Amino acid sequence: MGLLNRVFKKESITNYMQSDEHLTKTLSAKDLLGLGVGAVIGTGIFILPGTVAATTAGPAVVISFIIAALISGLVAMAYSEMASALPVAGSAYSYGNIIFGEIIGWILGWALILEYFLAVAAVATSWSAYFANLVAPIFKMPKAISGPFNPAGGTYINLIAVVVLLVLGILLYGGMKESKRLQNGMVLLKIAIILLFIGVGIFYIKSGNYHPFVPARSNGAFGIHGILTGASMVFFAFLGFDALSSSAAEVKNPKRNIPIGIFGTLIIAAILYALVAFVLTGMVNYKQLNVADPVAFALQMVGKNGVAFVVTIGALVGMFTMMYTMLYASSRLVYAIGRDGLLPGHLGKLNKKGEPSRALLIATIVVMIFGGLVPLDRLVALVNIGTLLAFIVVSLGIIPLRKRKDLNHTGYKMPFYPVLPLISAGFSFFLMTQLQVDTLVAAAVWFAIGIVIYLAYGVKHSKLNKQ
């Protein structure tokens, strides 16, 4: 078989279902909502509404969030159909293997490794900074253990980030059945804190702060243009729902529960983001909200310092649940790639509980290294390009999926086919073109490395090509 035929050979859904049948099916629709809301609503809900209002959209940032949620809904439809038709572990990586061929699956898997690992590590460093500020009145962290490896700057390791990632790994290692209760409880606590802000802040709204609701355009911002620009900025606040499709093989009744989990996550997130933005811009004039912690700032402006402290706790809880979901998704992705022989070390093996403990161990160690030692400021933007590439391919994949007669596709189907899949892919591609040039160059280097690894190791060890 020629190299071209080998790399574009498509995996069988039957093989994946047989490989994944030993994964323990423990997740209900409620658990998926916990994972989804945990991933999507992080610290961004306490920051983005203020900064985007101040710099881009004014009080009309509420509309920006609604537009972004609707656009995210298009991609969510594509993921829901894919996960319903192909209830296997690995998310876009596995979809790519089945629909387009192994090389496309590998590229998507390599992109998702970038997205998940860097996302977890980046949020861990933010969690560390929030935690250090919270305990500063009682205990000041020594500089040497409070930042990435930079001897010239006096820092050697971000110890708090390493410890919180270790705790997350231990929780997940204990099993999804046990740890999901804590995750669901923390998600409920986070939502309660957000509702506390809304419930308190609504009594301090001044109608004058909403005028003008759409500020006149100036310096390239505000006006209708500002609302649309704001939508592209806050679009990334809704990322994370795609991680739910990684859990498909562990979901009870995936054809029903995964669409409920994905759409339910987006609806809850959209409502909470819009309400926070509405209350925040009503409490304080939008021009004053370009600060690091606009929600806490607004509460302090109206004399509610105690509630501001609770909101800081909410930010920590929000980041913790986000890291939990993304580390979980990372381990399932590594398992799926290892299952196919494209990564070494028996990473596709399951433990006695029917969970991929080896893949989880590797994922935890890698993100601990990133979070503890690597400066991530310039790398965070790479998270977006990996996500958008997966969005494009999954959206376009709906078209060949519908034409496959061997998949017995009876679950959720994206409406207005093929128009909506094309619109979803087109918008994702447009957002990708808006990323900075250095981000695109760094991504090109990352994918070049991935192609070399695949050609040097993956093709030779691929279980698909050994069949």
Side-chain angles (χ1 to χ4, degrees), residues 196-412:
L196 173 66
F197 164 72
I198 294 168
V200 171
I202 201 167
F203 292 102
Y204 294 90
I205 288 177
K206 298 177 181 177
S207 59
N209 288 329
Y210 293 126
H211 300 292
F213 189 73
V214 182
R217 186 170 179 177
S218 64
N219 298 323
F222 306 111
I224 300 300
H225 173 78
I227 294 174
L228 297 176
T229 302
S232 68
M233 293 171 66
V234 303
F235 173 80
F236 297 105
F238 291 95
L239 300 186
F241 66 84
D242 54 310
L244 293 183
S245 60
S246 297
S247 65
E250 297 168 84
V251 176
K252 295 179 282 189
N253 192 4
K255 290 182 183 296
R256 170 186 175 273
N257 289 337
I258 290 182
I260 290 174
I262 291 177
F263 288 122
T265 292
L266 279 181
I267 291 168
I268 292 170
I271 291 171
L272 292 179
Y273 270 118
L275 284 175
V276 168
F278 179 77
V279 172
L280 181 63
T281 53
M283 291 173 67
V284 178
N285 186 279
Y286 73 92
K287 296 177 183 178
Q288 298 177 268
L289 292 174
N290 191 20
V291 294
D293 51 352
V295 169
F297 169 76
L299 288 167
Q300 290 165 355
M301 288 285 286
V302 298
K304 294 295 179 180
N305 293 326
V307 180
F309 175 80
V310 173
V311 165
T312 302
I313 299 294
L316 287 170
V317 173
M319 285 185 278
F320 190 90
T321 59
M322 180 182 179
M323 289 186 289
Y324 177 96
T325 300
M326 298 306 283
L327 183 57
Y328 162 79
S330 301
S331 66
R332 272 52 183 176
L333 173 65
V334 172
Y335 154 77
I337 300 176
R339 170 197 63 195
D340 296 340
L342 303 184
L343 286 178
H346 302 290
L347 293 174
K349 301 292 184 181
L350 303 175
N351 62 18
K352 293 180 180 179
K353 290 185 177 182
E355 297 191 350
S357 54
R358 292 187 183 184
L360 173 62
L361 176 63
I362 293 299
T364 304
I365 290 172
V366 172
V367 295
M368 284 171 63
I369 292 171
F370 282 167
L373 301 175
V374 181
L376 293 170
D377 294 346
R378 296 185 62 122
L379 296 178
V380 172
L382 288 172
V383 173
N384 296 333
I385 200 164
T387 306
L388 291 170
L389 179 63
F391 283 4
I392 292 169
V393 177
V394 170
S395 297
L396 292 177
I398 298 299
I399 297 172
L401 174 69
R402 295 281 183 96
K403 297 178 181 178
R404 291 278 292 270
K405 304 299 182 183
D406 59 319
L407 296 179
N408 189 27
H409 180 13
T410 59
Y412 170 84

Side-chain angles (χ1 to χ4, degrees), residues 106 110 342-343 446-459:
W106 167 260
W110 194 241
L342 303 184
L343 286 178
W446 173 259
F447 287 117
I449 294 170
I451 294 295
V452 170
I453 292 173
Y454 175 71
L455 294 176
Y457 180 89
V459 173

Side-chain angles (χ1 to χ4, degrees), residues 113-128:
I113 286 175
L114 184 72
E115 174 194 348
Y116 292 165
F117 283 14
L118 289 185
V120 177
V123 175
T125 58
S126 296
W127 198 96
S128 173

Side-chain angles (χ1 to χ4, degrees), residues 45-172:
I45 196 167
F46 301 109
I47 298 173
L48 271 178
T51 53
V52 176
T55 61
T56 309
V61 67
V62 175
I63 301 176
S64 296
F65 273 109
I66 293 172
I67 293 172
L70 291 174
I71 294 168
S72 299
L74 292 176
V75 182
M77 289 179 190
Y79 268 89
S80 294
E81 176 165 350
M82 278 289 185
S84 179
L86 311 174
V88 295
S91 186
Y93 161 75
S94 296
Y95 307 154
N97 269 334
I98 296 170
I99 301 297
F100 295 107
E102 188 175 76
I103 183 67
I104 303 301
W106 167 260
I107 291 171
L108 290 175
W110 194 241
L112 292 178
I113 286 175
L114 184 72
E115 174 194 348
Y116 292 165
F117 283 14
L118 289 185
V120 177
V123 175
T125 58
S126 296
W127 198 96
S128 173
Y130 263 78
F131 182 81
N133 289 334
L134 186 68
V135 301
I138 305 170
F139 174 75
K140 185 172 178 62
M141 288 291 297
K143 186 177 181 180
I145 57 172
S146 60
F149 185 74
N150 181 20
T155 58
Y156 295 88
I157 188 171
N158 191 329
L159 187 61
I160 297 177
V162 171
V163 170
V164 73
L165 290 169
L166 177 62
V167 169
L168 283 162
I170 292 171
L171 282 173
L172 285 166

